[in-house]
Amino acid sequence: MSADELPAMQLDTTIRPHNYYRNAVKKHWDPHEVDLEADRKGASELSEPAFQGLKRSLALFGAGEESVTEDLAPLAVVLEDIEDQMFLTTQLYEESKHVDFFDRYWREVVHTEEERRGQELSPPTDERWFNDPYDELFERNERAMARLLDDDTPENRARAHCHYHLTIEGILAQTGYYGLTLAYGENEPELPDLPGLVEGLKLVRSDEGRHVGFGMAKLKSLVSSGAVDPDLLRETVDELVPLVQESLTGDGRASAESGPGPSPSDLADYAYTKHEQRMRQITTASEKIPDVEELTELEA
């Protein structure tokens, strides 16, 4: 076949999924290039309750990143467009990078500080860091994603995006990362700065903003085409929100161990405001989802 006979390029470079893919390519980062030296010193200044609270937060989000990395594959199977598939390959890669970052932080900062304190080295997978609502939240996400392989309907796609992109990434992860960034940034005088953690979280949150935007775009398309009733989105997320709240505060450990930093009510207000804004953008015809550059900057 001559060059003149080759098929024309099939990529549509004007649509959101392609723009999300290109944004991911441009914003590549390496978890092992984040400097953690100052964090090892900062961790030595944490009280024991604050150190335990930090470990629990890191374990929750590290395990969450690992779970969503494993659970995303069914969506990549059922989405037909090459632009969607290209974007999802970047999301799978980025979720893996997030797992890598939290694993490295645990080994190089948490374990170093545990050794300095003469404590037994703790694994981030220890059951003490998790509770039943947390496990249930991720089990429901896994079921919602796996259902697509057996019954790929518009409603089930919407439920999958609501579980994964709107709730776990949009509410649980983004709110938790926001809280950790405030607690260990320069604005919290009662806690030491952990600049490596803050920098890593900024990069993770930028990636997550892109992921959430992709899910929002797919949901808006389903709603605007009439394939899915917007009430389905609210009903699905409303069922999951209590599990999110209980995952973090249901047994009292988070508030007891976290020490200074943003209060649970501050984080709840943040989560509610962001979620309601996203729902308006998805379900209101006159509202637009921010473009990918805005999404990654807004979340970071």
Side-chain angles (χ1 to χ4, degrees):
M1 181 181 290
S2 69
D4 292 339
E5 296 173 312
L6 290 173
M9 177 60 71
Q10 298 299 301
L11 297 180
D12 186 345
T13 60
T14 67
I15 61 176
R16 279 183 179 273
H18 186 83
N19 292 337
Y20 291 161
Y21 162 78
R22 286 302 310 163
N23 183 267
V25 171
K26 289 190 295 182
K27 294 202 170 185
H28 168 79
W29 59 280
D30 184 346
H32 287 251
E33 291 181 353
V34 178
D35 186 354
L36 301 181
E37 183 176 355
D39 291 50
R40 287 187 281 273
K41 179 180 183 300
S44 69
E45 301 172 12
L46 288 168
S47 67
E48 187 58 28
F51 184 44
Q52 293 299 318
L54 173 64
K55 288 196 287 186
R56 181 169 187 262
S57 295
L58 293 173
L60 287 171
F61 295 117
E65 294 290 354
E66 182 175 345
S67 179
V68 296
T69 302
E70 297 169 344
D71 295 342
L72 185 61
L75 194 60
V77 171
V78 300
L79 290 178
E80 303 91 350
D81 292 340
I82 182 62
E83 290 86 0
D84 287 339
Q85 293 170 356
M86 288 173 64
F87 170 74
L88 286 174
T89 63
T90 68
Q91 182 169 349
L92 279 165
Y93 170 58
E94 287 164 353
E95 302 294 4
S96 298
K97 287 199 303 183
H98 303 170
V99 173
D100 190 7
F101 173 75
F102 284 109
D103 176 74
R104 178 184 173 226
Y105 201 91
W106 197 278
R107 286 184 289 103
E108 297 187 18
V109 178
V110 171
H111 278 171
T112 298
E113 181 57 23
E114 287 176 330
E115 288 179 336
R116 192 193 69 81
R117 297 187 186 207
Q119 300 173 350
E120 182 179 353
L121 299 186
S122 63
T125 55
D126 194 302
E127 291 184 1
R128 64 176 149 158
W129 309 124
F130 313 103
N131 58 23
D132 290 341
Y134 180 91
D135 292 338
E136 175 67 17
L137 180 66
F138 282 92
E139 287 169 6
R140 290 194 190 187
N141 179 65
E142 182 180 5
R143 291 197 297 269
M145 300 298 288
R147 191 180 299 122
L148 294 174
L149 300 177
D150 298 320
D151 189 16
D152 179 21
T153 65
E155 291 82 2
N156 283 341
R157 285 197 186 190
R159 291 186 183 98
H161 287 300
C162 284
H163 277 76
Y164 192 111
H165 294 103
L166 288 194
T167 304
I168 288 181
E169 291 197 313
I171 299 178
L172 177 67
Q174 288 285 25
T175 303
Y177 296 149
Y178 170 76
L180 280 177
T181 300
L182 290 182
Y184 293 103
E186 298 178 354
N187 297 323
E188 178 48 72
E190 296 185 51
L191 287 171
D193 293 347
L194 299 178
L197 178 61
V198 171
E199 174 64 17
L201 292 177
K202 178 181 178 181
L203 294 165
V204 170
R205 291 173 67 199
S206 179
D207 289 347
E208 300 285 11
R210 188 186 311 113
H211 304 169
V212 172
F214 175 80
M216 290 172 64
K218 304 309 288 184
L219 285 167
K220 190 173 184 70
S221 177
L222 288 169
V223 170
S224 62
S225 69
V228 169
D229 190 310
D231 287 343
L232 175 67
L233 279 55
R234 289 195 176 276
E235 290 167 2
T236 302
V237 176
D238 286 348
E239 288 179 2
L240 299 172
V241 165
L243 291 175
V244 173
Q245 295 169 332
E246 294 169 20
S247 293
L248 299 175
T249 62
D251 58 4
R253 285 184 295 180
S255 58
E257 295 176 355
S258 61
S263 69
S265 61
D266 290 339
L267 294 180
D269 289 344
Y270 172 85
Y272 176 80
T273 299
K274 295 289 285 186
H275 175 62
E276 285 301 308
Q277 179 186 55
R278 292 179 185 129
M279 288 300 293
R280 285 195 305 273
Q281 291 167 344
I282 292 168
T283 60
T284 304
S286 60
E287 293 257 3
K288 292 184 178 180
I289 297 171
D291 66 33
V292 64
E293 294 291 344
E294 291 178 282
L295 284 165
T296 53
E297 292 302 322
L298 281 171
E299 300 302 344

